[in-house]
Amino acid sequence: MNQDVKSNIDISQFAQILKSAFNTVQDIIYIMEAKGDEFYYYFANQVGKGHLEYESDMVGKTFHEVLPKEKADFLSRQYLKCVRQNKVVVFTDEVIEDNQRYIKESVLTPLPYKDQFFIVSVVRDVTEYNRKIMELNHIKESIETNEERLSSLIHNNADAVLTLDTEGYILYSNKSSKNIIGYTELEIVGLNISKFFHNQDLDKFNEYYKLALEQKSVHFETRIYHKNGSKLFCNVKFIPLTIKGSVRGVYGVIEDISQQKSEFSELQRFNNQFTSFLNHNADPIYITDLEGKIEFVNNAFVNTFGYQKEEILQKQNPTIPDWLVEETKELYQKALKGFSIPDHHVIRQKADGELLDVSVTFSPIYDYSGIISGIASVARNISAYKKKEIAIQSENHEYELIWNYSTNAICLFDSDGKITKINPTFSKMFQFEEQDIRSLKDIYSDHQKIQLQEMIRVLNEDNPYIQFETKRIRKDGSTIDVQATYRKVTNGKTFAIATYKDITKEKQILLDLAKSEEKYRKVLDSSPEPLLIHNGEVITYLNKAALKLAKANNVCFIVGRPIADFVHSQNKEDVLNRIKISIERDFVAEPVIEKFLTVDGETIYAETSTATFQEHGQNYAIVMLRDVTQRLRAEKSLKESEERFRIIAENTKSIIKILTPTGKITYCSPSIEEVLGFPVWNEIGRFIKSHIHFEDLPLFEAAIEECIESKKSIAIELRHIHRDGYAMWLNSHITPIINENEEVEKIMLISNDITDLKQKESTLTQMAFYDYLTNLPNRRLFNKQLEQAMLTTDKTGKISSLMIVDCDKFKTINDTLGHDIGDDVIKEFANRLKLSLRNKDTISRIGGDEFTVVTPEMNNVEEVTNVAERLLKKMNETMYIQGHEIQLTASIGIAIYSANSSSVNELFKRADQSLYRSKELGGNTFTLN
């Protein structure tokens, strides 16, 4: 056997030995033969074959024939690298086996043999090895991080941090030490920490430092000297510095709490004030927990409801009647959601069973973390006010009876003379039903119609009422004589009340009497003594002096009326008997003093002398009256008025003040202390202006001046300053006191608190005319403003426009981001509308994401389109709402109104059609109709 054959046999035997050895190894071993850029499996040990899970014989197969393409490409690149560099290549690869992630390390060893090139690949599982390496790296990073954290904690700590040795000497200080105790690190290192402690606290220091050296952390409050000599209140912590179980020193941490101590003292002061406020408040105050159990009641609660504190604390509120428990729970639930419920009217029950009308304000109480922990309730007994309310309702019922059954025709009209309401007598007198009559002009003759605006002007500027006799036209064209009275009321749309009394018959009587009376009228009229003539039943004549005595403006108020109407009830029977006897027996009666009534119901005393005569076969009596009222009443009236004024002034809740014409207070009723908080003695001698709000001073001064000049009472509403500094609304009646020289000697001011009424009026106005979410006008107010814009166009000729603006795809925002963000988007949308328009333009929200814009007094259509383009541009700007970027567009429908071109409904319909077309075009545009 030659040498080459023997060598081949040896190599073959050696290869078989290697293969057997490789099969016993637990690592994966492959031998690949490189042929060009392809690699063929030459050998795989048992572990390698099991790893590939290739069922056929793989010898002679390439990577792409055995493995997935991605895996085959990856291995080809690594093996090519080994061939081209002819050196060992090491790489790792992640594989998934049995749903577990493993990291495999492959070592490729080149093995050229003659003209062949082999690569031996040994693949090991290094998953656990990698994990341990990563853990070691993580531990190293954690140690380094903790060291950096400790260093940062000490260096950047807001408290002074000192490192001390076991004797208390300072080895290190952080930069905050200088901020707190004034020493730099160079100045403080080497000093003993006891140097900074107050002498009285040294024992405490030594005790705590000793505990720290015994490996016990201690914390205490003490006083420390600053470098400038001032004393600081500080929290001090001593933390043992332990190394390998042995205390090598102490960390000293010093926190300056001087400001906290000051704030705590202030907090205690505030708490004492708040407790005093609760206990001394005149209104019942109580606090309930989340379960409705009472945790606190003030003294006013005990006094009002009759329960002692120990009877009700930690119990359900016993003042709630059984039938109102569920309603109260609903109110509590609303308060627990963060809503305050002001001035809610409820019924509450005292300990003795008496029911009270109470106004309660429920407010949530928040703890230090902002979580609701209970409910505070402030109650006010309004039983007296409810009684007044019932009385007012009764009065309203009486007024309704007067309205329906009055013998006079009554109507309400606005400032343009348009009739808004009529009573039944009006319909009967003028033959008009309410739906048939539109204006006062309907009952005016042609020549009277021009007088209507003048009458309205006089009412508005000069007089609170006007009364005169005139003629009016009925629906059938007939004319009647009436006594017309117009009284200004100014209540909402109502400008004034008109009252008409049919005096056609009285006028005819007067006409008949005039013929027979003419011959002696001049004589009687010229008499300085009051004279009247009656026929035993009705008054047929009275002269000017008698008219003045009766305080009547015209004879028509008296002539034709029963004489009994003017005789006082106390002596009516005696007077009527004497009249009857004098008429029947034709004799002259002796003078006698009688009590009579003027036309306005005032009682007067008159000495009467009566003589009878006949005319046209009928008996008449002529009566001469001499007014003795003043003589009889003077002393009695003076005494009674003084006593009455004193009683009223000292017991009324109204504030009564007597002023000099210059405004100095000479008298003040005790009620001022209850209403405005000022004691009476403090007011006498002061000027009334000192308590009036500075913005209302011009109004008050003008009212005082008018009162003095006109010598008439004036009513005015003003803000007065309470002793505690806040403003209150008072309704004041200013009345001049006239002396015998017809001069204003004093001024009486009667004032009543109307603060609550003002607040309710403001709240009701806001609720009635404004949208709750955007605070824009609602549809009701919008209609008025649109009508006003159209009226302006009719007068000036300038066009107005109505725009309906709608958010595009707003429903998507609501559905995806929620209604809270949707509400914020609506508010931002409304705000952008306001910023884009003129002050005279009107915006309103009429529902959902739909808004209306009215632009009055526009010169041309181009100005309108410019406004629309400006709105669209503004709406295209990105909104930033609660961390969301929202891109929103709008669609606009426009309708133009020129003078007398269409109604409100037609205009709105055209604008809505334009909006529909804008939506059809895809939105983010406007359409003009």
Side-chain angles (χ1 to χ4, degrees):
M1 186 178 293
N2 61 33
Q3 188 67 30
D4 289 337
V5 172
K6 183 178 180 180
S7 175
N8 286 335
I9 293 172
D10 291 341
I11 290 172
S12 176
Q13 291 175 345
F14 180 69
Q16 289 297 326
I17 293 170
L18 284 178
K19 289 181 181 180
S20 299
F22 286 162
N23 283 326
T24 62
V25 175
Q26 295 301 313
D27 293 334
I28 299 171
I29 299 178
Y30 300 116
I31 300 177
M32 305 296 295
E33 183 180 0
K35 295 180 181 180
D37 291 339
E38 290 288 346
F39 298 92
Y40 296 86
Y41 285 97
Y42 184 80
F43 169 78
N45 68 350
Q46 294 299 324
V47 178
K49 291 179 182 179
H51 173 69
L52 292 177
E53 297 181 353
Y54 189 75
E55 296 179 358
S56 303
D57 185 9
M58 61 174 50
V59 175
K61 304 288 186 181
T62 66
F63 285 147
H64 289 87
E65 292 175 311
V66 176
L67 301 173
K69 183 179 184 306
E70 184 178 355
K71 182 73 172 179
D73 290 342
F74 172 74
L75 291 177
S76 294
R77 288 194 297 272
Q78 302 300 326
Y79 276 72
L80 279 172
K81 184 177 178 183
C82 179
V83 171
R84 290 169 182 171
Q85 296 180 356
N86 195 21
K87 65 179 183 180
V88 175
V89 172
V90 180
F91 65 90
T92 59
D93 185 20
E94 287 188 5
V95 297
I96 306 298
E97 296 179 0
D98 299 328
N99 293 324
Q100 297 292 323
R101 174 179 170 273
Y102 295 94
I103 298 175
K104 304 289 186 177
E105 180 185 71
S106 299
V107 179
L108 308 182
T109 303
L111 190 63
Y113 178 72
K114 294 183 179 181
D115 58 346
Q116 292 178 295
F117 198 97
F118 296 94
I119 297 173
V120 178
S121 172
V122 179
V123 181
R124 296 186 178 90
D125 184 356
V126 295
T127 304
E128 185 63 21
Y129 173 78
N130 274 14
R131 184 184 65 77
K132 291 180 179 179
I133 292 298
M134 289 177 65
E135 286 180 355
L136 289 173
N137 289 335
H138 179 70
I139 291 170
K140 180 181 178 184
E141 289 176 1
S142 296
I143 292 172
E144 293 174 349
T145 300
N146 288 335
E147 289 177 350
E148 291 178 1
R149 285 174 179 170
L150 179 60
S151 176
S152 176
L153 177 64
I154 294 174
H155 286 292
N156 300 313
N157 201 309
D159 298 332
V161 180
L162 308 175
T163 304
L164 312 171
D165 64 12
T166 56
E167 299 298 324
Y169 288 95
I170 299 172
L171 304 176
Y172 166 82
S173 71
N174 68 347
K175 60 184 179 181
S176 295
S177 300
K178 184 176 187 305
N179 298 334
I180 294 178
I181 55 180
Y183 291 89
T184 65
E185 185 174 4
L186 291 176
E187 293 172 329
I188 201 171
V189 169
L191 298 178
N192 195 289
I193 192 172
S194 62
K195 164 184 171 58
F196 304 104
F197 283 81
H198 193 277
N199 290 336
Q200 295 178 359
D201 294 337
L202 284 177
D203 291 340
K204 182 193 298 185
F205 159 74
N206 291 326
E207 177 187 350
Y208 287 128
Y209 202 78
K210 182 179 179 182
L211 290 174
L213 293 176
E214 295 174 358
Q215 298 192 15
K216 296 178 182 178
S217 294
V218 293
H219 174 264
F220 59 98
E221 186 178 307
T222 186
R223 290 166 292 180
I224 287 180
Y225 285 108
H226 190 273
K227 181 181 179 182
N228 61 16
S230 62
K231 285 186 292 187
L232 306 175
F233 285 97
C234 296
N235 271 332
V236 177
K237 294 180 183 177
F238 286 152
I239 303 170
L241 197 166
T242 305
I243 301 175
K244 295 182 179 180
S246 175
V247 176
R248 302 295 181 86
V250 173
Y251 283 120
V253 182
I254 302 174
E255 176 190 9
D256 184 3
I257 61 170
S258 301
Q259 180 67 24
Q260 296 176 20
K261 292 283 286 187
S262 175
E263 290 175 354
F264 180 73
S265 176
E266 181 65 20
L267 184 62
Q268 282 185 318
R269 186 186 66 80
F270 173 77
N271 183 62
N272 292 337
Q273 291 177 343
F274 182 67
T275 302
S276 177
F277 165 77
L278 290 177
N279 287 325
H280 296 94
N281 197 299
D283 292 330
I285 300 175
Y286 56 98
I287 298 174
T288 53
D289 61 15
L290 299 179
E291 297 178 356
K293 294 181 179 180
I294 293 179
E295 293 185 330
F296 168 83
V297 297
N298 67 348
N299 296 332
F301 184 98
V302 174
N303 297 333
T304 300
F305 296 107
Y307 288 97
Q308 297 303 313
K309 293 182 180 180
E310 56 272 13
E311 294 181 291
I312 58 176
L313 291 180
Q314 299 304 319
K315 297 179 182 178
Q316 297 293 329
N317 191 346
T319 68
I320 303 172
D322 294 340
W323 68 92
L324 293 178
V325 169
E326 292 303 320
E327 177 187 330
T328 305
K329 286 182 179 178
E330 293 177 3
L331 294 172
Y332 279 7
Q333 288 303 314
K334 186 175 180 181
L336 291 175
K337 292 178 181 178
F339 296 96
S340 290
I341 307 171
D343 298 325
H344 189 79
H345 176 217
V346 298
I347 302 295
R348 289 295 180 259
Q349 193 170 28
K350 295 174 63 175
D352 61 7
E354 180 185 353
L355 296 179
L356 299 178
D357 287 285
V358 179
S359 175
V360 183
T361 296
F362 301 94
S363 302
I365 300 175
Y366 296 87
D367 62 16
Y368 67 92
S369 60
I371 298 174
I372 295 175
S373 61
I375 300 171
S377 304
V378 180
R380 177 169 295 176
N381 186 358
I382 59 171
S383 300
Y385 296 108
K386 291 300 292 183
K387 291 178 181 178
K388 290 181 181 179
E389 182 180 344
I390 293 171
I392 291 172
Q393 291 175 350
S394 176
E395 288 180 5
N396 289 339
H397 178 67
E398 292 173 358
Y399 292 149
E400 185 176 352
L401 292 176
I402 293 172
W403 173 268
N404 291 327
Y405 297 102
S406 174
T407 57
N408 294 335
I410 306 173
C411 71
L412 311 180
F413 62 93
D414 62 18
S415 57
D416 295 324
K418 181 180 178 181
I419 293 176
T420 58
K421 190 174 182 180
I422 63 175
N423 74 336
T425 304
F426 188 99
S427 296
K428 184 177 180 181
M429 183 180 295
F430 294 104
Q431 302 174 344
F432 279 100
E433 296 298 328
E434 188 165 330
Q435 65 270 18
D436 298 331
I437 190 164
R438 293 173 298 172
S439 170
L440 289 175
K441 291 181 180 180
D442 293 344
I443 60 173
Y444 278 44
S445 60
D446 291 339
H447 72 277
Q448 290 176 328
K449 291 179 180 179
I450 60 175
Q451 302 171 0
L452 178 59
Q453 289 303 318
E454 178 63 18
M455 183 268 291
I456 291 175
R457 185 194 68 77
V458 172
L459 273 178
N460 205 25
E461 297 179 0
D462 301 327
N463 297 296
Y465 72 93
I466 304 172
Q467 187 176 75
F468 55 89
E469 290 183 4
T470 184
K471 294 184 181 292
R472 289 292 180 259
I473 307 299
R474 302 170 75 183
K475 186 177 181 180
D476 62 5
S478 60
T479 301
I480 59 173
D481 292 291
V482 296
Q483 181 188 69
T485 303
Y486 300 93
R487 184 176 296 274
K488 182 180 177 183
V489 293
T490 312
N491 181 21
K493 290 185 176 180
T494 302
F495 171 73
I497 299 175
T499 305
Y500 299 102
K501 178 181 178 182
D502 187 352
I503 58 171
T504 305
K505 292 181 180 179
E506 287 87 342
K507 295 289 282 187
Q508 185 61 44
I509 292 172
L510 290 175
L511 184 62
D512 293 340
L513 289 175
K515 295 178 182 179
S516 63
E517 292 173 354
E518 188 63 30
K519 54 187 175 183
Y520 53 81
R521 179 179 298 277
K522 291 182 180 180
V523 176
L524 297 178
D525 281 345
S526 62
S527 172
E529 297 294 335
L531 298 172
L532 67 84
I533 299 173
H534 64 82
N535 61 7
E537 294 181 357
V538 298
I539 298 172
T540 60
Y541 166 83
L542 73 165
N543 67 355
K544 294 180 180 179
L547 192 66
K548 181 179 180 182
L549 179 63
K551 297 186 177 180
N553 295 328
N554 196 293
V555 294
C556 66
F557 293 147
I558 297 178
V559 172
R561 290 179 60 181
I563 192 169
D565 289 355
F566 302 94
V567 180
H568 197 280
S569 59
Q570 290 183 354
N571 62 333
K572 182 176 290 187
E573 183 175 354
D574 293 337
V575 173
L576 295 180
N577 284 334
R578 278 196 293 274
I579 290 173
K580 182 178 180 181
I581 292 171
S582 65
I583 288 292
E584 291 177 353
R585 299 184 182 178
D586 188 17
F587 76 104
V588 177
E590 292 292 329
V592 62
I593 296 177
E594 311 279 6
K595 291 173 69 173
F596 297 93
L597 299 174
T598 63
V599 292
D600 57 7
E602 180 183 349
T603 300
I604 60 173
Y605 291 83
E607 185 181 64
T608 63
S609 298
T610 304
T612 59
F613 66 94
Q614 279 194 344
E615 183 174 304
H616 304 301
Q618 185 172 356
N619 292 332
Y620 291 89
I622 182 168
V623 182
M624 183 174 68
L625 304 99
R626 183 176 293 107
D627 185 7
V628 295
T629 305
Q630 295 302 321
R631 176 168 61 83
L632 296 178
R633 291 182 177 175
E635 295 181 357
K636 181 180 178 181
S637 177
L638 179 60
K639 183 177 180 181
E640 289 179 348
S641 64
E642 290 178 348
E643 181 65 14
R644 186 162 53 251
F645 179 82
R646 184 187 65 79
I647 294 173
I648 292 173
E650 293 182 0
N651 292 279
T652 184
K653 290 187 177 180
S654 302
I655 300 175
I656 301 176
K657 294 181 180 179
I658 304 297
L659 318 175
T660 65
T662 61
K664 182 178 286 188
I665 301 171
T666 60
Y667 171 83
C668 182
S669 64
S671 55
I672 189 171
E673 188 163 359
E674 179 180 350
V675 178
L676 293 178
F678 295 98
V680 173
W681 57 265
N682 189 60
E683 295 301 292
I684 305 302
R686 294 175 67 93
F687 284 90
I688 185 69
K689 296 179 183 178
S690 62
H691 296 325
I692 295 176
H693 195 283
F694 71 94
E695 293 180 355
D696 294 344
L697 272 177
L699 181 63
F700 175 76
E701 291 170 348
I704 289 291
E705 184 177 346
E706 181 182 351
C707 175
I708 293 174
E709 290 179 0
S710 66
K711 298 183 177 63
K712 294 181 179 178
S713 295
I714 295 174
I716 188 171
E717 294 180 355
L718 299 170
R719 287 168 291 177
H720 291 244
I721 304 302
H722 192 275
R723 188 179 188 181
D724 292 337
Y726 57 86
M728 296 183 65
W729 279 97
L730 300 184
N731 181 16
S732 300
H733 289 268
I734 306 171
T735 303
I737 300 176
I738 313 298
N739 61 17
E740 62 273 13
N741 297 323
E742 294 297 317
E743 297 174 342
V744 177
E745 183 176 288
K746 297 178 182 178
I747 298 172
M748 181 167 65
L749 191 71
I750 302 177
S751 305
N752 292 284
D753 182 6
I754 59 169
T755 304
D756 289 343
L757 181 61
K758 279 286 186 181
Q759 292 174 347
K760 289 178 181 177
E761 288 177 354
S762 175
T763 301
L764 289 174
T765 300
Q766 184 72 17
M767 292 172 62
F769 294 103
Y770 291 87
D771 175 54
Y772 75 97
L773 181 62
T774 62
N775 208 30
L776 293 176
N778 59 18
R779 184 183 288 272
R780 181 187 296 178
L781 186 54
F782 159 73
N783 288 337
K784 293 184 178 180
Q785 293 167 334
L786 178 57
E787 290 172 355
Q788 183 61 44
M790 295 168 68
L791 183 62
T792 301
T793 295
D794 294 341
K795 291 180 179 179
T796 64
K798 292 186 177 182
I799 66 173
S800 295
S801 78
L802 168 62
M803 300 183 185
I804 302 179
V805 185
D806 188 83
C807 300
D808 294 331
K809 301 178 181 178
F810 175 74
K811 185 177 184 300
T812 303
I813 295 174
N814 254 351
D815 292 344
T816 57
L817 300 180
H819 291 283
D820 289 343
I821 292 179
D823 286 348
D824 287 347
V825 170
I826 288 296
K827 288 189 279 190
E828 175 63 18
F829 192 91
N831 188 48
R832 291 187 178 187
L833 284 176
K834 287 189 283 188
L835 294 175
S836 304
L837 297 171
R838 306 171 299 174
N839 289 336
K840 66 172 69 175
D841 298 334
T842 300
I843 317 166
S844 65
R845 182 187 180 207
I846 59 175
D849 58 343
E850 192 168 88
F851 297 79
T852 57
V853 176
V854 178
T855 59
E857 299 184 68
M858 306 294 280
N859 293 315
N860 49 54
V861 175
E862 185 179 355
E863 287 189 0
V864 177
T865 59
N866 288 340
V867 173
E869 290 171 351
R870 187 163 67 248
L871 291 177
L872 291 176
K873 183 178 179 181
K874 190 67 177 177
M875 295 310 160
N876 273 323
E877 295 177 3
T878 302
M879 293 184 182
Y880 298 94
I881 307 292
Q882 297 186 22
H884 297 276
E885 289 188 15
I886 298 175
Q887 198 69 37
L888 195 66
T889 60
S891 298
I892 304 176
I894 308 174
I896 301 297
Y897 177 81
S898 54
N900 300 306
S901 61
S902 61
S903 66
V904 171
N905 291 337
E906 292 171 347
L907 189 65
F908 204 94
K909 182 177 180 182
R910 288 196 286 114
D912 197 50
Q913 291 171 346
S914 298
L915 175 64
Y916 182 75
R917 287 196 290 273
S918 296
K919 288 289 188 180
E920 284 186 328
L921 293 173
N924 196 24
T925 187
F926 68 87
T927 305
L928 188 146
N929 187 330

